Amino acid sequence: MEIAPGAHHFPRALSIEGQRMLAGRCRALVDGSVPAYVPIVRGGGAMHVRMLCLGRHWNAKTYQYESTRSDFDGLPPPPLPPELRTLAREIAAQAGMAIDPDLCILNYYDANGRMGLHQDKDEGPESIAAGIPVVSVSIGDTARFLFGGLRRRDPVDAIALESGDAFVFGGPARLRYHGVSRITPGTAPTEIGLTGRFNLTFRQSDAACRALS
Ligand SMILES: O=C(O)CCC(=O)C(=O)O
């Protein structure tokens, strides 16, 4: 479903079994030896998600990517698992786009989780100029996802992102404002055994292609 030029919503892109496996994977990652944490942004406020970056770390104080979590505990982020890279590439291809992601931001939303309207513009300028997409995969409770325009004040569409949905925005949509205004608790499919919501956004921080390892 094309929401706007370059923006595609794929409802139920993942089967229930795929969602269940991904939920387990995400849970193990966020509670692993390099755990998710609540970032404090440069204005001093706490984000309303638990975040874990894979591959490269997004520093909430500098809004830059780095190889260690220098705004938190100094640890290197866990690697981006190859099968998750492959998943992102396959989803992008369904939207007629290509991505070779080197990082993923994995966010956990509890019942009060949300994320303000923002642009994803901290990836490399060449990647953004090339329109290499952001690939988003949602698991668990339904989110009210806001998708706006290229200016913060542009009107926004509210889209329900349900468990297993994918959303891809690249090309002319790459810098559209977006956010999550709320989660609807208790809407995750019971089979996946998840309270809350995981969202994974795969990104490519430069325009160069890497071989899949
Ligand atoms: O949770 C979502 O659906 C959106 C996440 C997001 O906007 C981000 O990680 O930049």
Side-chain angles (χ1 to χ4, degrees):
M1 200 186 309
E2 196 176 34
I3 302 293
H8 303 258
H9 180 197
F10 298 102
R12 301 295 153 111
L14 268 62
S15 66
I16 284 287
E17 181 56 15
Q19 294 170 46
R20 199 183 61 74
M21 286 174 57
L22 188 54
R25 190 85 200 247
C26 292
R27 203 181 286 114
L29 282 164
V30 299
D31 293 331
S33 54
V34 183
Y37 70 106
V38 177
I40 309 294
V41 296
R42 56 187 167 201
M47 291 183 71
H48 299 276
V49 292
R50 279 182 75 205
M51 178 178 287
L52 177 65
C53 299
L54 308 172
R56 298 187 75 195
H57 176 67
W58 179 78
N59 183 317
K61 293 268 167 48
T62 62
Y63 288 21
Q64 288 180 349
Y65 288 104
E66 59 190 17
S67 56
T68 57
R69 312 199 304 180
S70 71
D71 59 330
F72 184 55
D73 56 9
L75 293 173
L80 175 58
E83 61 277 21
L84 295 187
R85 270 177 84 189
T86 302
L87 174 69
R89 289 160 69 113
E90 288 172 356
I91 292 170
Q94 286 178 40
M97 297 187 201
I99 183 173
D100 184 13
D102 57 338
L103 69 109
C104 171
I105 300 184
L106 167 58
N107 287 316
Y108 174 74
Y109 296 74
D110 67 15
N112 299 312
R114 61 184 191 275
M115 189 174 290
L117 267 190
H118 64 281
Q119 290 173 298
D120 288 351
K121 58 180 183 185
D122 301 328
E123 295 72 34
E126 288 174 11
S127 171
I128 290 174
I132 295 173
V134 173
V135 174
S136 156
V137 177
S138 298
I139 302 289
D141 287 339
T142 301
R144 185 169 187 267
F145 178 68
L146 303 179
F147 195 63
L150 296 174
R151 295 168 307 177
R152 185 180 287 279
R153 63 178 181 278
D154 286 344
V156 294
D157 287 327
I159 298 162
L161 286 186
E162 299 183 354
S163 192
D165 286 10
F167 195 90
V168 178
F169 55 104
R174 178 61 177 76
L175 286 178
R176 280 185 178 247
Y177 278 85
H178 58 281
V180 170
S181 59
R182 66 177 150 78
I183 300 301
T184 309
T187 47
T190 48
E191 301 94 314
I192 67 171
L194 176 65
T195 301
R197 170 180 189 253
F198 285 119
N199 175 261
L200 304 99
T201 49
F202 298 90
R203 302 140 191 258
Q204 182 174 330
S205 64
D206 62 45
C209 276
R210 284 161 290 274
L212 256 187
S213 49

